[in-house]
Amino acid sequence: MGTKNYALLQVSCNIHKPSITPMKLDNLRALLSSSSSSQVKPLSKELERITTLVKHVPTMIKKTCVGVLEAFVDSTFEFVDQPLLPSQIGEAVGVTTIEGKIPEDFPIGVYVRNGPNPLFGGLKSTKSMFGKSSHVWIEGEGMLHGLYLVKDRRTAAWNISYKNKHVQTDTFNLEKVRKKPGFLPAIEGDSLAVVLAYLLNMLRFGEVNKYLSNTNVFEHSNKYYSIAENHLPQEIDIFSLETLRNWNLNGSWDRPFTSHPKKAPGTGELVVMGIEPKKPYFMLGIISADGKKIMHKADLRFNRCSLCHEIGVTQRYNVIMDFPLTLNIMRLIRGGPLIKYEKEGYARIGVMPRYGDADSIRWFEVEPCCVFHVINSFEHNDEVVVIALRACKSAIPGPDFGLDKFEWFSKGFQHTKDHIDENCDKFSTDDESFLCRVCEWRLNMHTGEVKQRILTGTDFSMEFPMINHNFVGVRNKFGYTQVVDSQASSISGIAKYGGLAKLNFEHWRFETSMDEKESQDLMKVEYHMLPNNTFCSGATFVPRIGGVDEDDGWIIMFVHNENTNISQVYIVDAKKFSSEAVAVISLPSRVPYGFHGAFMSLDC
């Protein structure tokens, strides 16, 4: 697009750029002392004593201590790369290779996708006398990939450019200055090695782990943010992709922040949550529509730290997902994993008045399962309806440490109808599957009854859902997901998405199994499948400006062809979903697979 077009967009949309401000840092002592255990108290007290001493020693002594710690880490811990496809980093480059035609009424804007792209080669593992520790597959510094679509209002010609840039969090900048890895991986591994990684990271950098900001991007009050749920969001200049500051609401929000905040229907307020493996485990917040202050904050008094990835909203309620994927520091210190899916644990969905508290939540017990993403939630008569993607097993963090990761992931992606029953509750073999199916829970606010039904079959596993954002929190007819290519995923050991699905919640089909013993009503699903060995990420729905129907718009997504090693952007007409893409835009460099994307309309 070039400097001229960036300047034109900045002037016409009048985007404000606030100054960079420091953020409040967490404390390891609080992380470890949140739970009472006679086995852990001595260690917790010793850590408290050490960190207190470090804070109060004179500067010269502190520098000497840090130097000694640095020398100890350098001589004791060996960093080892895990394989990862890199991305070429660069400034904006014009794009001219387009198959098809970008629709005339496609909105002017920026399509941005977030994803992990480690600063120093691949993800890191460490080896030491204390054991091994490693990053898990969802880690890696965040990188934003932006496709800019600008239309010349005089000639109606499209000017398109692509650029990418790392999200420059506090810890990213710290390691970049060092010019080498510094933070020891502290998520999975031998218990002693992980605990020491937390302690050494805290003593050397004042942080227990890196702030990755690699999961999602969102807009609120005409400002744009990058986020991963282990930290605060970073405000981004959407035109340059420069990182501006941490967004902590003037110090009123000092904890992690969900990767999927939701705008409340009607008010434009932003409903957020923050989870931590210390009390309070779950905090809910409501941010004003202008993004300037916290309107409400409540400790929901969880008795465990559930790895809740998403929150739901309706016109009157907040919807809380409390499922048995947990983070537990005490479990780690006792020799277990930090993150674990407890398939025998409880699962529940909470319905909470918008400005409610822990005492006002109505909890509904549901069958244990794994849910990362909510498609939508809304009110219908006496019920709150929650539609989400449900699996029997969590792909996060991965297998127990020491198991063959490739084999574990490959088995999980090889789902068939023989592996799993129709309710996705019990496995008919020892092989467990990551099969994600669309599930609906209807929660009756008067009787307390829960009705659950599975809405899709077992032909495809689906993830990374999206809807027309104008229907968040209200009854919707359509949803969209990325579709897992189980064969390619089982070969590579990571999830690869070979197409899209369009879900129609108002049209149903009656399906009978091959042995004619079971039958069920399933929703109508249309598919848009990609060419062989071609996979997508970051798909999102772009509404047509002035559109009347809910599906009046397009799906836009980053795509990579592994046969040609060419990355592209596809634009698919949502009303002609199974047809070929209306436009295919070839990009100048490889775009690695990533997580969530968003389209930021800049029609002013």
Side-chain angles (χ1 to χ4, degrees), residues 322 346-349 363-368 441 443 448 450 452:
D322 182 11
Y346 64 87
R348 59 182 184 167
I349 301 175
W363 287 108
F364 296 83
E365 299 293 326
V366 298
E367 295 166 351
W441 291 272
L443 315 173
V450 178
Q452 173 188 310

Side-chain angles (χ1 to χ4, degrees), residues 104-381:
E104 292 182 2
D105 50 355
F106 195 87
I108 293 172
V110 185
Y111 170 43
V112 185
R113 199 220 65 200
N114 208 341
N117 203 293
L119 176 59
F120 299 108
L123 293 169
K124 302 299 179 185
S125 296
T126 60
K127 298 187 295 184
S128 72
M129 67 179 71
F130 307 106
K132 298 179 181 179
S133 70
S134 65
H135 290 298
V136 295
W137 64 272
I138 57 173
E139 295 185 275
E141 282 78 7
M143 177 178 279
L144 302 178
H145 300 263
L147 186 77
Y148 296 81
L149 299 104
V150 182
K151 193 173 186 180
D152 189 311
R153 299 189 185 277
R154 183 177 58 85
T155 65
W158 286 96
N159 296 313
I160 303 173
S161 63
Y162 163 80
K163 73 177 304 181
N164 59 38
K165 190 177 290 292
H166 272 115
V167 183
Q168 298 178 341
T169 64
D170 301 332
T171 57
F172 174 91
N173 290 329
L174 189 154
E175 285 204 318
K176 189 174 182 180
V177 169
R178 289 169 54 91
K179 297 182 179 179
K180 65 176 184 178
F183 281 84
L184 300 171
I187 295 296
E188 72 166 2
D190 296 308
S191 177
L192 180 58
V194 175
V195 171
L196 283 174
Y198 271 98
L199 176 61
L200 290 169
N201 287 342
M202 182 66 193
L203 293 176
R204 293 157 67 222
F205 306 120
E207 310 289 348
V208 297
N209 208 345
K210 291 193 286 188
Y211 300 144
L212 299 175
S213 199
N214 67 9
T215 307
N216 200 9
V217 286
F218 67 94
E219 174 272 335
H220 187 60
S221 188
N222 292 322
K223 294 181 181 179
Y224 306 90
Y225 302 93
S226 172
I227 184 64
E229 57 213 30
N230 72 329
H231 187 40
L232 296 171
Q234 283 70 50
E235 185 178 350
I236 302 297
D237 182 326
I238 200 66
F239 304 101
S240 66
L241 300 185
E242 293 286 347
T243 304
L244 301 178
R245 62 167 182 163
N246 296 312
W247 188 36
N248 66 356
L249 283 301
N250 298 315
S252 59
W253 189 269
D254 60 352
R255 59 187 292 114
F257 192 105
T258 178
S259 294
H260 294 282
K262 294 290 175 62
K263 287 190 179 181
T267 69
E269 294 171 327
L270 195 68
V271 182
V272 305
M273 66 178 181
I275 61 167
E276 282 191 283
K278 64 173 185 176
K279 291 183 177 180
Y281 295 124
F282 190 117
M283 290 288 294
L284 180 134
I286 298 177
I287 300 172
S288 60
D290 62 10
K292 294 182 179 179
K293 60 182 178 180
I294 292 282
M295 305 293 293
H296 180 66
K297 188 159 60 173
D299 172 8
L300 301 195
R301 300 205 296 266
F302 276 33
N303 59 12
R304 66 182 181 184
C305 180
S306 299
L307 207 168
C308 303
H309 185 62
E310 188 157 8
I311 194 168
V313 294
T314 72
Q315 290 179 310
R316 294 181 293 168
Y317 301 112
N318 310 315
V319 177
I320 314 300
M321 313 296 283
D322 182 11
F323 287 79
L325 178 63
T326 64
L327 294 92
N328 192 315
I329 292 292
M330 298 306 114
R331 180 173 60 212
L332 171 67
I333 293 175
R334 296 186 187 104
L338 174 65
I339 304 174
K340 182 180 181 180
Y341 177 64
E342 301 175 307
K343 59 183 179 180
E344 303 301 328
Y346 64 87
R348 59 182 184 167
I349 301 175
V351 180
M352 168 188 179
R354 180 78 72 238
Y355 278 74
D357 57 20
D359 294 326
S360 63
I361 302 176
R362 181 76 177 273
W363 287 108
F364 296 83
E365 299 293 326
V366 298
E367 295 166 351
C369 60
C370 183
V371 172
F372 287 113
H373 294 115
V374 176
I375 298 174
N376 201 15
S377 50
F378 55 87
E379 298 165 43
H380 182 236
N381 298 327

Side-chain angles (χ1 to χ4, degrees), residues 111 464 466 482 500 536-541 555-558 595 597:
Y111 170 43
F464 290 91
M466 69 216 89
Q482 294 177 185
L500 302 171
C536 65
S537 67
T540 192
F541 183 87
I555 304 293
I556 189 170
M557 56 183 164
F558 280 101
F595 301 134

Side-chain angles (χ1 to χ4, degrees), residues 548-567:
V548 176
D549 297 330
E550 182 186 334
D551 63 345
D552 199 356
W554 304 269
I555 304 293
I556 189 170
M557 56 183 164
F558 280 101
V559 167
H560 184 70
N561 186 317
E562 295 190 356
N563 293 328
T564 63
N565 199 32
I566 293 175
S567 294

Side-chain angles (χ1 to χ4, degrees), residues 512-579:
T512 302
S513 61
M514 293 183 63
D515 59 10
E516 297 187 353
K517 292 181 179 179
E518 295 184 358
S519 60
Q520 59 182 334
D521 286 321
L522 300 175
M523 71 166 65
K524 178 183 177 182
V525 180
E526 296 178 73
Y527 295 98
H528 181 97
M529 304 309 292
L530 298 172
N532 182 51
N533 219 25
T534 302
F535 310 103
C536 65
S537 67
T540 192
F541 183 87
V542 182
R544 187 190 307 272
I545 296 175
V548 176
D549 297 330
E550 182 186 334
D551 63 345
D552 199 356
W554 304 269
I555 304 293
I556 189 170
M557 56 183 164
F558 280 101
V559 167
H560 184 70
N561 186 317
E562 295 190 356
N563 293 328
T564 63
N565 199 32
I566 293 175
S567 294
Q568 299 171 311
V569 169
Y570 277 34
I571 299 176
V572 176
D573 190 329
K575 279 186 168 292
K576 302 175 182 177
F577 193 74
S578 298
S579 301

